[in-house]
Amino acid sequence: MSKKVQAIYLWWHKPVIDRELLQSLPNLKVIANSGVGMDHLDLKLVAGFGVKMANAPRAVSSSTADVGMALLLASARRLVEGYHIAISSGIKDWEANFLGVEVTGATLGIVGMGSIGYKIALRAKAFEMNILYHNRTRRKEQEEQAVGATYCQKLDSLLQQADFVMVVVSLTPQTHKLIGKRELELMKPTATLINISRGAVVDQEALVTALQTGALRAAALDVTDPEPLPRDHALLKLKNVIITPHLGIKTDQATYMITEEAVENMLAALHGLPMPSEVLPS
């Protein structure tokens, strides 16, 4: 069948695209990915075989933004801790000093203002948050005004001001451990880090130290490195951490939309038309 294969739809990083596979498919024209992140692909290798690539940014932006806000709210109001208290045996009274932090009026710093980051800003505006963002390129003025967002040219400035820092960048060599020991030390000790991008964007060992020492209030992570974490990992033992199993795009509607977007890109490539979501090697 190898000579008949002209398109590959990647679902959850499968099949693995390596040189051996590419060499075995002489008529392959396009690879469509089920999601935004392309860090599992060697883009230059694929392009070297004359194969086009596409992701699915339109399909996943809303569902991923929802997860980001869900994690922010859950961490702020300590919902996971509260749930375990509510169902534990022997409870007769609630603790009066079991306190969370306010979301309304707090400052949210969004690191990465692409399609997902912008939808997070739209949601945060509805919660009456002050919004800062850092991005490689600044958004148009009307886009900033629509969500009430202020651009921070330097990441350091955002980290120093934000009560919640939401990381929404693609994993590249430039963003690997973008949030490390130095960056965590710049954040307020009352701040919360939320990561919905890729686990390797955050230095996890530095994060553990910051959470253990009180240099950071809390973290909420939909992604880790690796996934899942080893069962003895320190992050799994901390009460001020929420970890979810990469739920970003996992809704029935998003799954359907991702598949539609992938098919749209593949058909465009096979018919020699412009691909709506083509990804080029940097």
Side-chain angles (χ1 to χ4, degrees):
M1 297 294 290
S2 63
K3 291 183 179 179
K4 294 185 178 181
V5 175
Q6 296 185 63
I8 292 176
Y9 178 32
L10 278 178
W11 183 256
W12 214 243
H13 303 183
K14 302 293 183 182
V16 174
I17 307 296
D18 55 18
R19 184 177 295 276
E20 182 181 1
L21 180 65
L22 291 167
Q23 288 173 338
S24 73
L25 302 174
N27 294 314
L28 181 66
K29 293 182 172 61
V30 59
I31 296 172
N33 184 52
S34 58
V36 177
M38 303 287 277
D39 49 281
H40 54 293
L41 284 173
D42 185 333
L43 302 185
K44 290 183 179 178
L45 173 67
V46 175
F49 280 82
V51 176
K52 294 187 174 184
M53 295 163 286
N55 60 359
R58 301 195 308 274
V60 306
S61 57
S62 292
S63 58
T64 307
D66 287 346
V67 166
M69 288 305 297
L71 286 171
L72 186 156
L73 293 165
S75 181
R77 301 308 301 270
R78 302 172 68 181
L79 295 188
V80 175
E81 286 181 84
Y83 166 75
H84 287 294
I85 290 170
I87 67 168
S88 60
S89 59
I91 289 291
K92 295 181 179 179
D93 297 295
W94 304 135
E95 295 180 36
N97 62 346
F98 186 78
L99 304 176
V101 294
E102 284 286 342
V103 171
T104 302
T107 297
L108 170 62
I110 301 172
V111 183
M113 191 66 116
S115 58
I116 297 171
Y118 195 76
K119 291 205 170 184
I120 289 165
L122 285 167
R123 286 154 174 74
K125 182 186 179 185
F127 281 91
E128 301 174 45
M129 301 187 80
N130 303 309
I131 302 167
L132 307 175
Y133 79 97
H134 172 75
N135 203 44
R136 286 178 300 177
T137 56
R138 185 170 182 172
R139 283 270 183 173
K140 295 176 181 177
E141 186 177 353
Q142 57 266 38
E143 292 174 332
E144 291 180 345
Q145 291 176 350
V147 294
T150 301
Y151 178 62
C152 292
Q153 186 174 1
K154 294 187 178 298
L155 175 61
D156 288 7
S157 175
L158 178 149
L159 296 173
Q160 290 168 332
Q161 298 178 69
D163 300 302
F164 298 89
V165 173
M166 184 98 64
V167 185
V168 205
V169 296
S170 299
L171 177 59
T172 66
Q174 292 72 36
T175 61
H176 184 262
K177 293 190 177 180
L178 176 69
I179 307 297
K181 181 176 182 291
R182 189 188 76 85
E183 288 73 26
L184 291 166
E185 289 174 348
L186 287 173
M187 293 174 63
K188 299 177 182 180
T190 54
T192 299
L193 177 71
I194 302 122
N195 187 10
I196 58 171
S197 56
R198 288 291 186 269
V201 171
V202 175
D203 184 335
Q204 288 182 164
E205 301 312 310
L207 178 61
V208 168
T209 300
L211 292 165
Q212 288 174 334
T213 60
L216 197 65
R217 173 189 169 270
L221 315 170
D222 190 42
V223 288
T224 58
D225 183 29
E227 292 178 356
L229 287 171
R231 295 300 87 185
D232 61 348
H233 197 283
L235 277 174
L236 302 180
K237 298 175 173 62
L238 297 174
K239 287 187 176 181
N240 55 344
V241 177
I242 296 174
I243 299 177
T244 50
H246 208 140
L247 298 177
I249 64 172
K250 292 181 180 175
T251 69
D252 52 357
Q253 295 97 328
T255 300
Y256 191 90
M257 290 168 61
I258 287 167
T259 307
E260 282 192 321
E261 191 167 355
V263 170
E264 183 183 359
N265 278 288
M266 288 189 288
L267 289 175
L270 295 178
H271 289 94
L273 301 172
M275 294 165 62
S277 309
E278 185 172 3
V279 175
L280 300 172
S282 56

